[in-house]
Amino acid sequence: MDYDKFFAERIADLKREGRYRIFADLERQAGNFPRAKNYRDGAVHEVTVWCSNDYLCMGQHQSVIEAMCEALRRCGAGAGGTRNISGTNHYHVLLEEELAGWNRKEAALLFNSGYVANQTTLSTLGNNVPGLHIFSDALNHNSMIEGIRHGKAQRHIFKHNDPADLARLLATVDPAVPKLVAFESVYSMDGDIAPMAEMCDVAERFNAMTYCDEVHAVGMYGLAGAGVAERDGVLDRITIIQGTLAKAVGVVGGYVAASHALIDFIRSFGPGFIFSSALPPAVAAGALASIRYLKDNNQIRERHQERAATLKRRLTALGIPVMPSVSHIVPVMVGDAALCKQASDDLLRQHNIYVQPINYPTVPKGAERLRITPTPLHDDAMMDHLVASLVQVWSTLGLQKAA
């Protein structure tokens, strides 16, 4: 077999379909978010980023930067090992305590990413809880799907955000077997939110544990910013809360929060935790500072929600096809991979606006879109420019407008 030829042909297929992904070469500028330098075509351009997952711009917050610098000077660059072998730094301990309290749980456990947190926790439960059945929302993130696949649990897929279908499936299983219901709070591509209380009602009726991925809600919802579960008053009813430190918290890493016994179980049996080097202490220190700020400053969430609502309203009024979204996500439907990429390219090259095209397999074929994420620091002038630019791109490319 000509291996390189095979690889090249598959890449060529992606390019023909308009699904080949090109990384934007960016240099984010602390103190100037959401502006960034874009290195392209042998020159440097200043662009406005409209698709960052640093939802609240905490990646540039002075308290976060200062905490990281102090920890770097005190502890050096790396943790020095896995958590089991010399890698547990005091900043890790403090951050896990903060995360547990934030989520009203007894304990929390850090991972190197939210992806690893999902994959490790779900696969560890599947491989070690005898006879476990996992009930997974049809639109769960790839990290949850992979975690469930790598476990030995029986898998059941229920219709997206449908407690009735969940109940139907749970009723088909022996009441005596252990069960886990896995879902997200905010689904980041469509911007919809799970009916949390109803999910808990169904799970409790069938004596099932609940696992909620709050990755796109951490820091964003609830008076203290713990997530949708806090906002909806169900934190105490969720068995396992999973989240990230890489989005609204503005750093990197992931975590789960649950009872002492469950966290100790994952810590002791989860390969993705046991065999991974620990997060650098400076990262943990930055996340700790960010969470403490977010807990006490709800106005940043209020400003963020206003920016998202304002953009949705303005785009809808001009016929730009904003998909229904009750969250901070502003998805704009294109429906064609090549045109979606072209729209993104035109925004970048002609208007210095960066919005990444979202294509298959992240979304189904035919559902390609631009996923816009306003932040509290996108001011009115930036929004004026984005709206006018989108209208021009839609006209130039002949993209379909909303009815």
Side-chain angles (χ1 to χ4, degrees):
M1 180 179 186
D2 186 335
Y3 297 109
D4 279 347
K5 181 182 177 183
F6 169 78
F7 300 142
E9 288 174 347
R10 291 302 304 274
I11 293 299
D13 290 342
L14 288 180
K15 290 180 178 179
R16 278 192 295 271
E17 295 169 14
R19 295 196 293 117
Y20 182 69
R21 301 184 180 195
I22 298 173
F23 298 152
D25 185 350
L26 301 174
E27 181 182 317
R28 303 212 302 164
Q29 303 173 64
N32 199 29
F33 286 13
R35 305 283 193 192
K37 293 179 180 179
N38 175 215
Y39 294 81
R40 68 175 191 269
D41 303 328
V44 182
H45 307 263
E46 184 176 83
V47 300
T48 304
V49 178
W50 278 94
C51 58
S52 173
N53 281 343
D54 187 358
Y55 293 133
L56 301 178
C57 296
M58 291 302 294
Q60 70 161 9
H61 198 278
Q62 197 60 35
S63 66
V64 175
I65 293 173
E66 290 175 359
M68 294 185 74
C69 289
E70 179 187 356
L72 189 62
R73 286 190 294 266
R74 291 178 59 181
C75 304
T82 66
R83 290 290 299 276
N84 291 307
I85 306 175
S86 84
T88 294
N89 188 279
H90 189 53
Y91 283 113
H92 298 133
V93 176
L94 293 175
L95 178 54
E96 287 175 339
E97 290 174 351
E98 190 75 33
L99 287 166
W102 201 25
N103 289 279
R104 299 180 202 162
K105 300 299 179 190
E106 294 176 348
L109 191 65
L110 287 170
F111 293 85
N112 287 2
S113 70
Y115 195 105
V116 176
N118 270 335
Q119 190 177 52
T120 299
T121 304
L122 288 166
S123 64
T124 300
L125 292 171
N127 283 324
N128 292 280
V129 178
L132 179 66
H133 287 245
I134 297 181
F135 298 78
S136 177
D137 187 284
L139 294 187
N140 274 343
H141 190 265
N142 176 266
S143 57
M144 301 175 76
I145 294 169
E146 287 300 305
I148 295 168
R149 282 177 176 166
H150 282 83
K152 298 174 182 176
Q154 292 290 315
R155 301 185 295 274
H156 310 264
I157 310 300
F158 62 90
K159 295 176 183 177
H160 177 53
N161 278 350
D162 191 335
D165 194 52
L166 171 62
R168 179 187 65 80
L169 288 173
L170 282 163
T172 66
V173 174
D174 182 347
V177 303
K179 296 171 284 291
L180 173 69
V181 177
F183 57 95
E184 300 181 43
S185 57
V186 175
Y187 288 83
S188 65
M189 290 300 122
D190 292 343
D192 53 338
I193 295 178
M196 302 277 279
E198 294 174 67
M199 292 293 197
C200 291
D201 289 342
V202 172
E204 289 165 2
R205 191 193 327 159
F206 290 92
N207 192 31
M209 296 184 291
T210 44
Y211 183 103
C212 182
D213 177 319
E214 288 260 41
V215 159
H216 292 277
V218 169
M220 311 285 292
Y221 297 88
L223 189 61
V228 174
E230 182 206 346
R231 186 198 71 176
D232 291 359
V234 297
L235 263 179
D236 297 333
R237 301 175 66 188
I238 302 291
T239 311
I240 307 167
I241 296 282
Q242 182 270 341
T244 185
L245 306 172
K247 294 183 169 62
V249 176
V251 195
V252 71
Y255 65 88
V256 291
S259 67
H260 279 303
L262 199 154
I263 292 298
D264 202 18
F265 183 84
I266 301 302
R267 183 188 72 85
S268 300
F269 291 97
F273 175 81
I274 294 170
F275 296 105
S276 290
S277 293
L279 285 171
V283 169
L288 181 62
S290 180
I291 291 167
R292 287 174 174 171
Y293 178 87
L294 291 173
K295 285 171 61 178
D296 295 334
N297 290 276
N298 189 50
Q299 69 273 11
I300 194 172
R301 285 179 284 280
E302 293 174 345
R303 166 70 175 174
H304 184 254
Q305 289 293 326
E306 179 275 323
R307 292 284 80 188
T310 298
L311 181 59
K312 290 176 195 175
R313 184 174 64 252
R314 292 189 60 182
L315 292 178
T316 300
L318 292 169
I320 302 299
V322 177
M323 299 169 61
S325 167
V326 294
S327 70
H328 57 282
I329 308 295
V330 184
V332 177
M333 178 58 69
V334 177
D336 178 274
L339 286 173
C340 193
K341 184 181 183 304
Q342 188 61 56
S344 173
D345 288 347
D346 289 356
L347 284 169
L348 184 63
R349 294 181 174 276
Q350 298 174 20
H351 304 281
N352 285 321
I353 288 171
Y354 174 48
V355 183
Q356 183 70 16
I358 306 296
N359 294 329
Y360 178 85
T362 306
V363 295
K365 292 181 179 179
E368 293 83 3
R369 68 198 64 178
L370 301 177
R371 176 182 176 272
I372 303 172
T373 54
T375 74
L377 298 185
H378 281 98
D379 60 25
D380 288 342
M382 293 176 187
M383 193 175 294
D384 290 343
H385 180 52
L386 172 68
V387 171
S389 300
L390 281 168
V391 169
Q392 183 174 331
V393 167
W394 242 249
S395 175
T396 301
L397 297 180
L399 298 176
Q400 185 172 351
K401 286 197 169 187

